[in-house]
Amino acid sequence: MGVGGCLVLPWRCLVVLCLRLLFLVPAGVPVRSGDATFPKAMDNVTVRQGESAILRCLVDNRVTRVAWLNRSSILFAGNDKWCLDPRVELVTNTQTQYVIQIKDVDVYDEGPYTCSVQTDNHPKTLRVHLIVQVPPKIVEISSDISINEGGNISLTCIATGRPDPMITWRHISPKAVGFLSEDEYLEITGITREQSGAYECSASNDVSPPVVRRVNVTVNYAPYISGAKSTGVPVGQKGILQCDASAVPSAKFQWYKDDKRLSEGQKGLKVENKAFFSRLTFFNVSEQDYGNYTCVAYNQLGNTNASIILYEISEPTSSTLFQETTALQTTRQGPGAVHDGNSDGSRTVASVWLLSVLLFHLLPKF
């Protein structure tokens, strides 16, 4: 297409025809070696979309007429503007150079521009190619996706730009290394739960910083119980059984003792369910509470269960503490022990400590 709005008015048709004949030189005809220094034009001009392009042609005093053309359209002839596009301006017209400017360049401005000059001998031309660079832009990307473990996914990332942008995919994960793909498409077969998370598409072409977009991939899987530990509690004390499970979507929990389902609200019992665990609390454990409990974790993809035992342990008694303390003193004063003048003081301290321990355990019983 080229610079837009370059129209030729009907009343100028004859003038245009004469001007084109005047500057007519077959495309691709090289400048002869003897004329290699004249006219002089810039090399290919590269600008970013939205910037201004300066097209410069060096001339000398042998030139009688000069013009800038875009393909078959005349932009400027001398000081006269033939193009209606307001973005095109004449910058310089002197005996040494002839310069025009195209503001707010767009991709349709890309292409060949010709500086045509007329001397006393014959016309000469020199062509400049305008290259318009466009920053990358991601125009299409896959939506967030949810898939069951073991399934296959295909992610798409389409980007435009000049030059064509390079597209890469990577998994945003601490364990991920390097790029997963250097293509518009990312294929994953037999996806696992470890491959869930964000996938980043990056489009770059060195015209501007890379453009980045992300797709979130959710991998659904059946519950897996990762923690279920049996617990020993004395009669009359508080006991807790906990069941930890991972699942997507989050697992729901149920508790059973034998074949009876336990529920919130039962006397002396509390059931607490969270996203990744369930907790069974006994506020005052009785003999009837001991036994085998089953934790069931489930979602729409499946279920799993684990057996947890609440068992009885003996509460320490005063006689037990006395025996433990006596053994401790015997150990300290057995064969090979070092005795000094402070031994009587040590016995006194031990006796006071033993009395404090006995009082601590006996007082709550009264």
Side-chain angles (χ1 to χ4, degrees):
M1 184 174 174
V3 175
C6 295
L7 303 178
V8 179
L9 300 178
W11 61 271
R12 288 185 169 181
C13 288
L14 182 59
V15 179
V16 171
L17 179 60
C18 293
L19 187 58
R20 288 181 178 173
L21 289 174
L22 178 64
F23 291 139
L24 183 61
V25 174
V29 174
V31 178
R32 290 176 298 174
S33 59
D35 299 323
T37 60
F38 176 79
K40 295 180 180 179
M42 303 170 64
D43 295 331
N44 291 342
V45 177
T46 301
V47 295
R48 295 183 181 181
Q49 185 182 40
E51 296 180 346
S52 295
I54 301 293
L55 305 182
R56 193 185 311 274
C57 184
L58 301 181
V59 295
D60 60 21
N61 55 12
R62 291 176 292 169
V63 175
T64 57
R65 297 181 182 86
V66 62
W68 271 107
L69 298 88
N70 171 223
R71 298 182 177 89
S72 60
S73 300
I74 301 173
L75 305 179
F76 268 91
N79 292 324
D80 296 328
K81 183 175 182 179
W82 290 74
C83 177
L84 299 181
D85 191 333
R87 300 177 303 132
V88 183
E89 297 178 348
L90 178 64
V91 178
T92 304
N93 183 12
T94 65
Q95 290 186 345
T96 58
Q97 59 180 345
Y98 188 54
V99 183
I100 64 170
Q101 174 180 252
I102 305 173
K103 295 181 177 180
D104 193 20
V105 170
D106 210 335
V107 291
Y108 54 75
D109 297 318
E110 186 171 283
Y113 289 78
T114 303
C115 174
S116 184
V117 300
Q118 175 67 35
T119 66
D120 293 334
N121 298 324
H122 49 73
K124 297 180 177 67
T125 64
L126 209 154
R127 181 173 293 182
V128 175
H129 196 88
L130 177 62
I131 300 172
V132 180
Q133 293 183 330
V134 180
K137 180 181 180 181
I138 296 176
V139 296
E140 179 183 343
I141 191 168
S142 297
S143 302
D144 293 346
I145 185 173
S146 178
I147 186 170
N148 293 344
E149 189 171 35
N152 304 327
I153 64 170
S154 177
L155 303 182
T156 302
C157 182
I158 306 297
T160 60
R162 286 172 173 248
D164 292 336
M166 181 180 71
I167 296 177
T168 57
W169 281 100
R170 69 187 184 99
H171 185 199
I172 308 302
S173 168
K175 297 181 180 179
V177 178
F179 297 116
L180 296 177
S181 172
E182 296 185 3
D183 190 72
E184 297 174 342
Y185 305 99
L186 174 62
E187 306 281 347
I188 301 178
T189 58
I191 195 167
T192 65
R193 65 192 70 178
E194 289 79 15
Q195 292 175 299
S196 64
Y199 286 79
E200 184 180 271
C201 170
S202 174
S204 61
N205 64 359
D206 296 329
V207 177
S208 67
V211 178
V212 174
R213 296 273 298 275
R214 290 186 177 184
V215 178
N216 291 313
V217 176
T218 301
V219 179
N220 305 311
Y221 58 94
Y224 167 75
I225 293 180
S226 55
K229 184 179 179 181
S230 296
T231 303
V233 181
V235 173
Q237 298 298 314
K238 181 179 179 180
I240 295 176
L241 298 180
Q242 183 164 315
C243 178
D244 301 322
S246 61
V248 178
S250 297
K252 296 181 179 180
F253 296 90
Q254 291 180 352
W255 286 93
Y256 292 85
K257 184 181 182 186
D258 300 325
D259 294 330
K260 182 180 178 181
R261 180 180 173 184
L262 306 179
S263 60
E264 179 70 34
Q266 290 184 231
K267 185 178 180 180
L269 183 68
K270 179 182 179 182
V271 179
E272 183 183 7
N273 292 327
K274 298 296 183 180
F276 301 105
F277 71 88
S278 180
R279 184 178 295 148
L280 194 61
T281 303
F282 303 84
F283 294 103
N284 187 6
V285 174
S286 66
E287 294 285 351
Q288 291 74 27
D289 293 326
Y290 294 120
N292 184 39
Y293 290 80
T294 301
C295 168
V296 178
Y298 65 96
N299 63 13
Q300 57 263 46
L301 297 179
N303 64 81
T304 187
N305 64 80
S307 178
I308 308 176
I309 299 175
L310 180 67
Y311 58 91
E312 182 179 4
I313 59 174
S314 299
E315 185 176 9
T317 63
S318 57
S319 60
T320 303
L321 290 174
F322 180 80
Q323 292 173 0
E324 291 177 351
T325 306
T326 303
L328 178 63
Q329 289 182 325
T330 302
T331 301
R332 289 178 176 174
Q333 298 179 4
V338 178
H339 299 278
D340 58 24
N342 295 322
S343 59
D344 292 338
S346 300
R347 292 192 189 94
T348 302
V349 172
S351 300
V352 172
W353 175 80
L354 176 59
L355 180 60
S356 300
V357 172
L358 290 174
L359 288 174
F360 176 79
H361 284 277
L362 291 176
L363 285 177
K365 297 182 181 296
F366 291 96

